[in-house]
Amino acid sequence: MTKEEIKAIYQLPLLELISRASEVHRRYHNPAEVQMSSLLSIKTGGCPEDCAYCPQAARYHTEIKIHKLMEKEDVVEFAKKAMENGASRVCLGAAWREVRNNRDFDKVLQMVKEISELGMEVCATLGMLTEEQAKKLAGAGLYAYNHNLDTSEEFYDKIITTRKFNDRINTLKNARKAGLTICSGGIIGMGESEDDRIGMLYTLSLLKPAPESVPINTLVAVKGTPLENAPPVPVWDLVRMIATTRIVLPTSMVRLSAGRNSLSTEAQALCFIAGANSIFLGDKLLTTPNPCEHEDMELFKVLGIKPMAPYAKHPEKKKSGINA
Ligand code: SAM
Ligand code: DTB
Ligand code: SF4
């Protein structure tokens, strides 16, 4: 699709857009199933980058609880609990600019290995990565690498100056070369234009193969970051973005990511109808709140949502874990 074609979709009358997205969703996915992923910040804060949205950048004064890399046992324990609560995937996040070849990386490789042996999909988001590091992660059993484009190439330097848009693309290529699946999406609500949202989807659509998973985050405006006073995103923009993503990237999982805490049940239902089929489970994202367990249980009950099994889309990658 060209940028113009994507724009024409994004600008459809909302009900028409939702209806078309829902049709695509039903053609490629089971609309009753939603992937439940659990997020854990294994290393929080102190990041040298200047991402304007991020509470973990060392240069902003935010109220997060900083900690060094967690112990492997605690991380595996978290994964087991997440699995008991219905999660099929765990995403490990570290506030690093890039992965370094040091003892911390070795520790992360061990975490990945043990969690994947439980039979769960493991995703990691650790910053920039070389091909060699990506191969080590794949060897340890990593299933997916998350590395968001975050916004369009044109708007990128208004949000981040300490790295280039192309650095992001290169890391995604390295992850791909190692055989990892890709999770890459972005954030709405940072002051970007409609064209920037479309431009980001266009770049994602150029990645071949397309990212298996596309998180759509709504900015969580955190006190102390440059975007702390960004006005809230109208829920209709989010639904429009999710629906457009579903149509542009029909086979990908579209994740209704950060921002769910400020959405009503009705708004979330619209997002699922418009093609979202993945969420983060658990009362915390990396550093900000997410709906708690009983709220989500109620949501799934009301909407008749069933959790997706691990490796549902790639059964050949399944490890023989304790629950496999
Ligand atoms: N440091 C690594 C990196 O930047 O790729 C991994 C962790 S970073 C926190 C992962 C993603 O979280 C970012 O790319 C961004 O999309 C998302 N994120 C961070 N802060 C956010 C916020 N305040 N609101 C919404 N999404 C946010
Ligand atoms: C993604 O796209 N969103 C998640 C995950 N990938 C790593 C992170 C959201 C972070 C929201 C802000 C916070 O909790 O610090
Ligand atoms: Fe660091 Fe990632 Fe936050 Fe940017 S988004 S400041 S790279 S933790």
Side-chain angles (χ1 to χ4, degrees), residues 3 32 40-41 95 100-101 104 110 115 123 134 151 156 174 190 192 194 218 233 286 295 314 322:
K3 267 191 203 174
L40 179 64
S41 184
R100 305 252 171 96
N101 298 314
D104 273 357
Q110 280 306 315
I115 301 173
C123 175
T151 190
Y156 202 76
N174 290 338
M190 304 187 294
E192 74 287 342
E194 207 171 273
T218 304
V233 178
L286 292 171
E295 284 174 286
H314 289 95
I322 52 169

Side-chain angles (χ1 to χ4, degrees), residues 18 32 71 83 91 197-198 220 250 306 308 313 324:
I18 294 174
E71 291 308 326
M83 189 158 82
C91 177
R197 293 176 186 170
I198 290 153
V220 183
K306 285 187 298 213
M308 200 177 285
K313 303 282 174 184

Side-chain angles (χ1 to χ4, degrees), residues 3 58 74 110 123 142 171 197 201 214 236-237 272 280 307:
K3 267 191 203 174
D74 298 333
Q110 280 306 315
C123 175
L142 193 77
T171 291
R197 293 176 186 170
L201 291 181
V214 180
W236 310 117
D237 283 25
F272 293 125
F280 286 120

Side-chain angles (χ1 to χ4, degrees), residues 143-158:
Y143 177 68
Y145 197 72
N146 165 255
H147 203 62
N148 290 337
L149 294 184
D150 282 330
T151 190
S152 69
E153 185 165 9
E154 293 75 19
F155 194 60
Y156 202 76
D157 64 3
K158 306 282 178 308

